[in-house]
Amino acid sequence: MQHPTPTQLYQAFQQHPLVCTDTRNLVEGSIFIALKGATFNGNEYAEKALAGGCAVAIIDEEKYYQGDNYILVEDCLKALQSIASEHRRQFSIPVIAITGSNGKTTTKELLNAVLSEQYTVLCTQGNFNNEIGVPLTLLGLNASHQMAIIEMGARFSGDIKELVNIAEPTHGLITNVGKAHLETMGGLEGVIKTKTELFRFLESHNGKALVRYEDAVLINEAKLLPTFTYGYNESADIIGTLKKEAPHIEFSWKKKGGEFDGEVTSPLMGEYNFQNILAAIATGVFFEIDAIAINRGIANYNPTNNRSQIIKTDRNTLLLDAYNANPSSMEAALRNFVHMDGEGKTLILGEMLEVGDNSEAEHKAILHLAAELGFTEIYLVGDEFSKITSAFDDAEKLREYLRTEKLTGKTILIKGSRKNKLEMLVDVL
C-alpha cells in the first residue's frame, strides 16, 4: 500500500481542518492521528475515533487499516509534523520562537500579554512545547492571526533543531543557557549547542534575534544575526532599571538614547523575572507597540501554573515556584527569596532532575548556598537530597508531617522540579 505524499496529507487536513490525538476529546469531522507513547498505541483507538465522529484516522500500523476513512503512513508523529509544517507555510506572519533553560514559559506569557495589546496572536498554550505540542499549536493558525509565539522545550541534543524545522520561525529569543537537562544533553556545552540551534536556523533563513545584552554567551552565538538587545547597559536597544524586586517588581525602561519614562509595577517578583519582562518589552518595541500599551500588558500579567505565585494562606505567605527546577533556576530563586519581605523565611526544596553525573555536587552546592544566604529552616524532598542529608521521600510524606507539625507565621519558598508535586503542600501550609 502506497503512503501519501506530504501534499496529499495536507490536502486531507484542508478538508478536515481539526486534529485530535485523544479519543477522550474528539471533535466531529476532525482527523484522528494515532500517536504512540510509552504506555499507549493510538492505532488501537482509530476505530473508536471514527465511531466517535472523526472523519479520517491516520495510522502507521497496517493491521489496523479498515478502508477509505483510514490513511496509512510510515510514522504518525512525522505525519503530524509534516502537516503542521505545510500549514505554517501558508502564513507570511512573524513567528517568534522562544527557548531557554529558565524562564521561557513566563517570557512567552509576557510576550503574549504585550503583543496582544495590538495584534491577534497565536501563542503556545500550557507546556505544548515539544515534538507533539509545537505542531499541534501551529495547526491552530488561521487567517485572523497576525503573529505567532511558539515556545520550544528540549531534553535532548537536536530537539530545538527538529522544532525550528517544523515551525520555521522568523524571529528568536533564548532567555538564557544554564544548567538544565545536563544529563541528556552532554553537559553545559551540549545545552548551549542545543539551545542555539534556534540561532543557527535564523542565520540560514534571514531571521532576527532578541538577545540580552549582558549574556556574553548568547551575544557571541548571535554575532552573525541582526539583533535587538535588552538589558541594563546604556548600549542596549532597550535599557531597564530595576527599582524593587520583592514582593513585586518595580522598574522603569527606555529606548537607547531616550529618557526613562515613569515607573511600572509587575505582579512578578525577582531579578530573574525582570529579565523576562525586559525581553517582552524589547519584543513589543521591536514590533512597534506603543509604550503605554506595553506597560499595560506587563502590569496586567498575572502568573499561574505554579510559577512565581505568591499565595497568602490563613497562617503563612507562600512563594510557589514548583513547575521546574535546575541548578540555575534554583540558585536564582534562593537569591531572590533573600530580598523578599517577610518573617520566618523557610525553604521547601524538591530535588532537581536530569542533572547528570554532577547531581550530588549540584545538590550539595544548593544546600551550601542556602546556608551561606542564612536560611536555617529547610525541608527537603527527594532521593537526591537524601543522599546528602535528611530528606522526605516525597511530597506526600512531607505533607503528612506538616499536618501535625504545622508551620505558622512563615514566609515559605516552595521550589522543585515538577515531578516532585510540591504544590500538594499548599493546603497544609
Side-chain angles (χ1 to χ4, degrees):
M1 187 177 295
Q2 190 172 11
H3 296 299
T5 65
T7 300
Q8 289 170 327
L9 274 176
Y10 187 63
Q11 286 172 345
F13 173 75
Q14 287 176 305
Q15 293 168 6
H16 309 283
L18 281 171
V19 164
C20 293
T21 61
D22 189 334
T23 53
R24 293 169 296 184
N25 301 297
L26 297 177
V27 178
E28 187 78 23
S30 63
I31 295 177
F32 176 74
I33 300 183
L35 300 178
K36 294 175 182 174
T39 59
F40 66 91
N41 180 354
N43 289 276
E44 297 173 357
Y45 298 91
E47 185 177 1
K48 180 180 179 181
L50 290 171
C54 290
V56 176
I58 296 178
I59 60 173
D60 56 14
E61 293 184 22
E62 189 170 353
K63 68 179 181 179
Y64 293 98
Y65 185 87
Q66 294 186 38
D68 291 344
N69 289 347
Y70 290 77
I71 298 175
L72 180 65
V73 298
E74 289 187 26
D75 184 307
C76 280
L77 177 57
K78 296 301 181 187
L80 170 65
Q81 294 170 347
S82 171
I83 294 169
S85 291
E86 187 60 34
H87 186 60
R88 182 265 175 272
R89 294 188 193 111
Q90 310 305 309
F91 300 86
S92 57
I93 60 173
V95 174
I96 307 163
I98 298 179
T99 190
S101 297
N102 307 308
K104 56 183 173 291
T105 299
T106 299
T107 303
K108 171 204 69 179
E109 297 292 344
L110 286 164
L111 257 69
N112 190 31
V114 167
L115 295 177
S116 294
E117 289 285 329
Q118 185 167 313
Y119 300 99
T120 303
V121 182
L122 174 78
C123 183
T124 298
Q125 298 300 303
N127 61 345
F128 267 43
N129 63 8
N130 63 8
E131 71 278 9
I132 297 171
V134 167
L136 287 175
T137 298
L138 291 168
L139 290 176
L141 276 169
N142 62 51
S144 73
H145 292 120
Q146 297 169 293
M147 59 176 58
I149 304 168
I150 307 296
E151 180 182 336
M152 297 180 178
R155 292 187 61 232
F156 299 96
S157 297
D159 280 357
I160 298 300
K161 183 177 181 180
E162 178 183 34
L163 297 178
V164 294
N165 283 328
I166 297 168
E168 299 186 1
T170 57
H171 300 75
L173 193 160
I174 303 175
T175 56
N176 49 56
V177 179
K179 295 177 178 179
H181 303 299
L182 296 174
E183 182 177 17
T184 55
M185 290 189 195
L188 186 57
E189 287 303 313
V191 176
I192 294 170
K193 183 177 184 297
T194 298
K195 296 297 184 183
T196 56
E197 287 165 352
L198 170 55
F199 287 171
R200 303 291 81 80
F201 179 90
L202 294 174
E203 285 171 8
S204 59
H205 291 78
N206 300 312
K208 298 177 176 64
L210 294 108
V211 189
R212 186 163 71 91
Y213 190 90
E214 286 82 10
D215 193 320
V217 171
L218 292 180
I219 287 288
N220 180 63
E221 290 287 342
K223 62 180 180 290
L224 299 180
L225 279 168
T227 58
F228 193 75
T229 58
Y230 58 91
Y232 297 123
N233 194 290
E234 289 288 331
S235 296
D237 293 302
I238 297 299
I239 303 119
T241 296
L242 179 59
K243 298 179 178 180
K244 189 176 180 181
E245 62 179 270
H248 302 298
I249 292 171
E250 294 178 9
F251 69 97
S252 58
W253 65 275
K254 66 177 181 178
K255 299 176 186 177
K256 182 164 61 176
E259 298 292 328
F260 285 103
D261 182 24
E263 190 171 280
V264 186
T265 300
S266 163
L268 292 169
M269 66 178 295
E271 195 273 341
Y272 58 98
N273 272 321
F274 183 49
Q275 300 300 333
N276 302 333
I277 289 170
L278 284 181
I281 291 171
T283 306
V285 171
F286 183 86
F287 286 104
E288 301 181 342
I289 295 179
D290 177 81
I292 293 172
I294 290 174
N295 292 345
R296 184 169 57 238
I298 297 295
N300 289 340
Y301 169 69
N302 276 292
T304 56
N305 267 348
N306 305 326
R307 298 174 188 275
S308 300
Q309 289 178 264
I310 297 177
I311 301 171
K312 292 189 181 293
T313 71
D314 56 356
R315 301 198 315 275
N316 303 293
T317 298
L318 315 180
L319 174 54
L320 179 62
D321 193 358
Y323 190 86
N324 188 26
N326 55 55
S328 302
S329 67
M330 189 75 86
E331 177 181 347
L334 292 179
R335 293 191 183 280
N336 169 67
F337 191 53
V338 167
H339 299 290
M340 184 174 173
D341 295 334
E343 300 297 320
K345 294 281 187 70
T346 301
L347 302 179
I348 297 178
L349 305 179
E351 65 180 342
M352 302 175 289
L353 304 178
E354 295 182 4
V355 185
D357 294 339
N358 293 324
S359 182
E360 186 170 340
E362 295 288 0
H363 282 80
K364 281 182 178 177
I366 290 300
L367 294 179
H368 179 77
L369 176 63
E372 188 179 276
L373 294 174
F375 296 113
T376 55
E377 191 166 5
I378 306 173
Y379 298 87
L380 304 172
V381 174
D383 293 339
E384 294 302 311
F385 278 124
S386 66
K387 294 174 184 176
I388 303 166
T389 186
S390 177
F392 291 88
D393 292 341
D394 52 39
E396 186 59 51
K397 290 286 198 313
L398 176 55
R399 192 168 184 269
E400 291 172 12
Y401 175 82
L402 293 174
R403 280 185 182 282
T404 54
E405 302 296 325
K406 294 185 182 300
L407 298 180
T408 302
K410 306 289 186 182
T411 305
I412 306 169
L413 170 65
I414 305 173
K415 177 72 175 173
S417 290
R418 181 70 191 87
K419 189 178 179 182
N420 298 147
K421 299 180 179 178
L422 297 182
E423 67 276 5
M424 72 165 58
L425 302 173
V426 171
D427 68 345
V428 295
L429 294 170

